[in-house]
Each structure stands twice: as structure tokens, then as C-alpha cells.
Amino acid sequence: MEYAPFPSWPDVAPRLIAVAAGREAADLVIRGGIWINVHSREALPDHSIAIAEGRIAYVGPDASHCIGPDTQIIEADGRYMIPGLCDAHMHIESGMLTPAEFARAVIPHGTTSMLTDPHEIANVLGLDGVRMMHDEALMQPVNIFTQMPSCAPSAPGLETTGYEITPEDVAEAMTWPGIIGLGEMMNFPGVIHADPKMLAEIAATQRAGKTVGGHYASRHLGPDFAAYVAGGPADDHEGTCEADAIARVRQGMRSMMRLGSAWYDVESQITAVTEKGLDPRNFILCTDDCHSGTLVNEGHMNRVVRHAIACGCDPLIALQMATINTATHFGLEREIGSITPGRRADVILSSDLTELPIEMVIARGQVVAVNGAITVDCPHYDWPDRARNTVHLGHALTAADFEIPAPEGANRVRANVIGVVENQAPTQALKAELPIIGGLVEGEGDVCQIALVERHRATGGVTNAFVSGFGYQGRMAMASTVAHDSHHMIVVGTDRDQMALAANRLAEVGGGITVFRDGEELALVELPIAGLMSDSPAADVAAKAQKMVEAMQACGCQLNNAYMQHSLLALVVIPELRISDLGLVDVRTFEKIDLLEPLA
């Protein structure tokens, strides 16, 4: 299916004017609802909306002058008429779905605009993969704007990606029709130290008049933070406490507060507005990462808005943070984010402003969902073979590939251990004394093995280390080709034979997630596109993902959304300790460290 550009406001202004003046009939009128005006922060009863050419022509107490014999009428019946919700920062790949299937999953939840950063596929397929995501995004019946990924690799010198993004790539992407800016600038040390490559990417974006996304995953809010802001990033979603949110808006950034499948950072930051009284215009809600199970069972941006309200935020302010604030930040205020003349006709009907049931969704003037059921098609891109054959191990792995030899003559060793923190992206840098059995270092108690298996260039490389916090028991292993951000393969397990079985299984199916116990596969989620996504419906992927969660629990893991923690253990730009294909990385210093230390 070819992309058909949505008509611009200037293209259809004559028709909008004629409809608003009553000289021509509207295509659609929503009659008799409560208008949520996010510009004035008001709820205005007994209003109607007239729509033509997919855009809003008129909003007022009476739209009868806009109605003709062929005008479609939707009775709001006193319900709230809310602007379609906008997700300001997200990664479609985290849903394990293609853009088409992600859109199909979130449209019934009231999301009509997404600002997506496909840096996951950029690490696997480079600019070619970004273009595929961009092209499928533009085919959808809702607004999916793409941020050009900035950091592949995210930490140069500390990881090896399938492809590298260059300033030339960024400059080229800025000319594409659906590119809205630069994706999160995760290499914050590079910006702080004025790395020429990072500054060239930022400059290409700024010169194109587009927005630079931020990612400052550091607790230091002094000179380093000031230097990062001076480099150009305009927003940040890595805050985890009130002080983070305040620091960002005081420096002219937008504070993006996220509620994803595993990130619960709204409650701890929204007090900057609800208690400290800061201007809410500079605060934005987003999801960052949501897996398919969350989308199917809990919702998307409607879930985030409900959560913000439950945390004490005024409903109208929470809606501003999920609509007009996002639009303004990205220079889209004249396109999306409000129910006002000229804007795209993205409207939600809901009977409750607090619980926010999504009873009807209209996008670009078309009814796209009713009572949780989608009513439109979400076209698929024809993904080529080069996007489906991306897992290259070099050789079949065996238990020996996961052995950690002990220092000669030692009986026990001290190991640096990655500590998982429930519901947060950061990890802890732990140390544990571990036993030596048969010349090999073994996990003990809650400490089990983790391995990073190279899968882009068939090098056969395996980096071994230790991780704590999953609570796994028995002979088991879990493997995933979703391994932010380099997206090699992460294998976590208590038994090396099971780890080899799990890794080889993913090579066999072309990528995904699997859980093995005692030689038996308990769960498999196939992700054949770049080893990251499935083009199956979200409900099907969610069902398999649920079996994966149940398999993790059967192996002893009780963490909330533990899979998200698993998939981020190679993210070498978020403190404290991570694993990469080059070794164990202390993100506090951005240096590789030894796995084992001598005991005193």
C-alpha cells in the first residue's frame, strides 16, 4: 500500500472556512458533548464539533448550520469530547509488534498520535530498518511521527551494534516526510564532552528546525547536567524523582514522566506540579516501553492519564500533559493535541473524566474504534527477507560457551554482580562471594549467570557474568534477542546446558524469547522481524508473552514485569552495571571492569 499524505491545513482551508460559516455541510458532526478545551483548561458543556476533510472546522454550542443531508451525526449524549491522546516518547519495538499491529492495539485505547524512536531496529538494521518502520508508520490511520535514532551504538567503545548511525544518516532522515526530530540522545557523556559526532547529529536536527530528544540517565544535576542541556536536548524521560523533574523544567527542558510496563516514574515526579505548584505546561506524559500484554490488558496512554489522576493530578491538567503539551513541544500544536479549528479531527468520547473509559475514538475525522473494538484496517508493510534473517551465532552453542573459569588456586572469588531493581531502569552494582566447583565459578543463592551472545556478525562471541534479583530456581534459562540497545542476545540461567538450549532455539526461529527448564521449552515468543517484532496481532503476541511470564514465574521469578528488566540488562547508558559484547560495564564511570576480583 502506498503512503497517501494527509491533506495539510492550507490544502483544505477553503472547505473548513465554508463549513464553519455554514456555506457547506460538514462530513461529520459530533453533537451535544462536553468540550475538553486543553488550551484554556476548561470543560464546556453542550458543545458540538463539525469536521470536514479529516480536520476540525467548527466547535461551538450549536453546529446545526454545518449539517447537511449527507452529514454523519454522532450523538455525544453529554459525554466528554477529549482530544486524541499523544504518546510523547515510545519505542514501538518494545511492544514486540510492527507499527501496524501496535497501532491496531492502541487505537481502541484512545491513542491517536505517537512520537516514536525506532532505535531498536536501528541497532540491528541501521538506516534501512528505520526507513521500513517510518514507511509502515505513515500507512496507518492515526498519526505516527518518527524520531530519527541518534545513538547506535549508544555508548561507543563499550558495545558493538549491527549497524552504526552517522551524522550523514541523521541529515538524510531529516528530509523524510514523517521525521519529527532526533531520538533520545543517550550518549550523554558524548554531549557533555562535546563529541563531534553527537554534536553533528544535534546540529543537523536543529538546522532542520526539528526537536532533539534527550536521555540524561545520571543523578548528577550540577555542571554535567548543565553541559548536557547546553548541547541541545530539549526533553528528558529518565527522571525518577521530584528533584529530577524540577531540574529539567528549570533549565528549559520538558520533563517527560513515564509509565510503561516496568517504569513507574510518574508518582515520584508529578508532585513537582501537584505539591510544588510548578507550571504544568512543561510536563509531559509518556510510556517509553510497553509490551504487548500491557497494551492488550491494561491500556496505553489512557492508562498513564488515569495513573496521573490517581496520583493527585487534576484531570484536565493530566489530559494537557497527554495532548497539547506534547504537540507544543514537537511543534505540532497546529496539527494535533486539541479540539480546535484546523487541527486533525482526533477525538475521544468518554463518560468519565477520571476513570477515562474509551467509548469511541475518531482519528482524522474517521471513527476508528468503538467500545474497545477497532473499526478500521491498519495496513502492513511488506517486510523483506533481510529484515527477517538477523540472528547469526556463528556456531551452535554448548554449555562450555557459558563457563566462567576460576583464577588458579582459588576456592572462592568476589564477583561484580548486576543487581536488578524492580520497576526501575537503573540496576545496582553489587558484589558477591561465589564458590568454585571443578575450576569454574558458580552462581549461588539468588545470583545466577547472565551471558551476552553476539548475534549480528556471527563471531561466536559470548560474554559471561552474574546477575541477582530474578529469584530463579532449579535448572532453567531464559533467552531473548531483545537486548536494549545493541540487541544481541541476553541469556540468563541457573544451568549452562539450559542456556545453550535457549540460545540455539532462538537462532533456529529467527529471534524472540524463550524459557527452558529441565530440557523442556516452557514458552516461546517468536519475533522474526529483526529479532524484535512480530507482525501477528497484538492479542496473539500477548498470549504468548503471558505464557512467557508464567514460565518465568514457574522458574521462581516474582518480579513485576521481569521481562522488561531482562531485556535492559545490556543497556550500557543507564547506571549502574550492565553487560555488553565487550564485557562488564560500570555505567557510573563508563568503563569496562573485571568480572572477578581477588579476595583479601
Side-chain angles (χ1 to χ4, degrees), residues 143-427:
N143 314 305
I144 305 181
F145 302 97
T146 301
Q147 295 174 289
M148 174 61 197
S150 60
C151 298
S154 60
L158 296 176
E159 64 180 354
T160 309
T161 56
Y163 283 82
E164 181 178 343
I165 293 297
T166 68
E168 292 74 23
D169 291 335
V170 172
E172 177 185 333
M174 290 303 140
T175 67
W176 299 352
I179 295 288
I180 197 65
L182 188 67
E184 54 183 308
M185 179 51 70
M186 294 178 290
N187 186 3
F188 59 91
V191 176
I192 291 167
H193 295 100
D195 176 80
K197 179 183 175 184
M198 296 299 98
L199 296 191
E201 292 185 4
I202 292 172
T205 307
Q206 291 175 322
R207 289 182 178 124
K210 300 178 188 290
T211 305
V212 177
H215 171 117
Y216 184 75
S218 171
R219 296 183 177 91
H220 301 292
L221 298 176
D224 279 357
F225 177 59
Y228 183 72
V229 178
D235 55 62
D236 187 70
H237 58 274
E238 288 296 330
T240 60
C241 64
E242 181 184 271
D244 288 338
I246 291 173
R248 283 149 176 78
V249 299
R250 281 179 177 169
Q251 293 295 321
M253 300 180 91
R254 260 54 178 238
S255 173
M256 291 185 174
M257 302 176 293
R258 62 185 173 183
L259 178 72
S261 291
W263 320 138
Y264 287 68
D265 298 321
V266 174
E267 185 174 9
S268 61
Q269 296 184 89
I270 205 166
T271 52
V273 173
T274 60
E275 296 179 13
K276 291 295 191 295
L278 271 62
D279 190 336
R281 290 179 299 175
N282 295 309
F283 293 82
I284 291 172
L285 296 173
C286 68
T287 65
D288 198 354
D289 298 294
C290 273
H291 65 62
S292 55
T294 301
L295 301 179
V296 170
N297 300 313
E298 299 179 42
H300 189 230
M301 282 304 297
N302 57 329
R303 170 177 175 261
V304 186
V305 173
R306 285 196 305 264
H307 177 68
I309 294 169
C311 291
C313 188
D314 179 283
L316 293 179
I317 291 176
L319 286 170
Q320 286 180 312
M321 292 178 179
T323 57
I324 192 62
N325 292 8
T326 300
T328 300
H329 176 58
F330 287 98
L332 293 169
E333 187 176 343
R334 303 286 286 176
E335 282 292 312
I336 62 173
S338 69
I339 301 173
T340 43
R343 278 69 173 183
R344 300 184 185 193
D346 301 333
V347 182
I348 297 167
L349 295 185
S350 178
S351 56
D352 190 291
L353 210 56
T354 300
E355 294 301 322
L356 208 63
I358 307 299
E359 294 155 359
M360 181 176 288
V361 183
I362 296 156
R364 303 178 183 178
Q366 178 184 17
V367 177
V368 293
V370 178
N371 293 326
I374 194 164
T375 59
V376 293
D377 184 38
C378 293
H380 281 236
Y381 181 80
D382 184 13
W383 293 87
D385 288 344
R386 66 182 183 277
R388 295 178 178 269
N389 181 28
T390 64
V391 181
H392 311 290
L393 301 189
H395 65 270
L397 300 180
T398 68
D401 289 295
F402 300 98
E403 293 178 351
I404 300 176
E408 187 173 351
N411 294 317
R412 291 181 70 85
V413 295
R414 178 183 291 115
N416 286 302
V417 177
I418 302 170
V420 172
V421 181
E422 187 171 29
N423 290 331
Q424 287 196 1
T427 64

Side-chain angles (χ1 to χ4, degrees), residues 55-134:
R55 292 181 178 269
I56 294 167
Y58 171 86
V59 189
D62 183 5
S64 58
H65 65 292
C66 305
I67 298 174
D70 297 323
T71 301
Q72 179 185 359
I73 306 294
I74 294 175
E75 299 293 353
D77 292 326
R79 289 177 290 181
Y80 295 98
M81 304 183 298
I82 301 167
L85 303 179
C86 309
D87 193 345
H89 173 72
M90 58 170 290
H91 308 285
I92 283 176
E93 303 99 316
S94 293
M96 299 181 279
L97 304 167
T98 58
E101 290 303 326
F102 198 101
R104 184 183 300 277
V106 303
I107 286 171
H109 296 306
T111 301
T112 59
S113 295
M114 292 173 264
L115 288 302
T116 71
D117 179 358
H119 72 220
E120 321 305 347
I121 203 169
N123 280 271
V124 180
L125 295 172
L127 188 64
D128 187 32
V130 176
R131 185 71 202 219
M132 295 178 203
M133 294 288 284
H134 166 276

Side-chain angles (χ1 to χ4, degrees), residues 361-537:
V361 183
I362 296 156
R364 303 178 183 178
Q366 178 184 17
V367 177
V368 293
V370 178
N371 293 326
I374 194 164
T375 59
V376 293
D377 184 38
C378 293
H380 281 236
Y381 181 80
D382 184 13
W383 293 87
D385 288 344
R386 66 182 183 277
R388 295 178 178 269
N389 181 28
T390 64
V391 181
H392 311 290
L393 301 189
H395 65 270
L397 300 180
T398 68
D401 289 295
F402 300 98
E403 293 178 351
I404 300 176
E408 187 173 351
N411 294 317
R412 291 181 70 85
V413 295
R414 178 183 291 115
N416 286 302
V417 177
I418 302 170
V420 172
V421 181
E422 187 171 29
N423 290 331
Q424 287 196 1
T427 64
Q428 293 178 312
L430 305 177
K431 295 183 186 295
E433 288 191 19
L434 297 177
I436 297 170
I437 302 173
L440 301 177
V441 184
E442 301 286 354
E444 185 176 64
D446 189 44
V447 177
C448 63
Q449 281 194 228
I450 179 173
L452 197 291
V453 179
E454 200 283 333
R455 66 119 164 162
H456 298 311
R457 294 179 173 83
T459 65
V462 179
T463 302
N464 290 296
F466 293 100
V467 65
S468 173
F470 285 113
Y472 289 132
Q473 300 171 5
R475 297 175 59 249
M476 61 75 59
M478 175 176 178
S480 171
T481 51
V482 179
H484 303 269
D485 276 329
S486 58
H487 295 293
H488 290 291
M489 184 191 298
I490 292 177
V491 188
V492 173
T494 61
D495 180 88
R496 288 184 285 273
D497 285 314
Q498 308 305 305
M499 295 174 76
L501 286 171
N504 291 330
R505 176 63 165 151
L506 293 189
E508 176 189 340
V509 300
I513 311 151
T514 187
V515 181
F516 272 78
R517 182 180 63 186
D518 295 330
E520 177 188 357
E521 186 174 62
L522 301 185
L524 174 66
V525 184
E526 301 97 330
L527 302 175
I529 299 176
L532 302 173
M533 299 177 292
S534 169
D535 49 3
S536 297

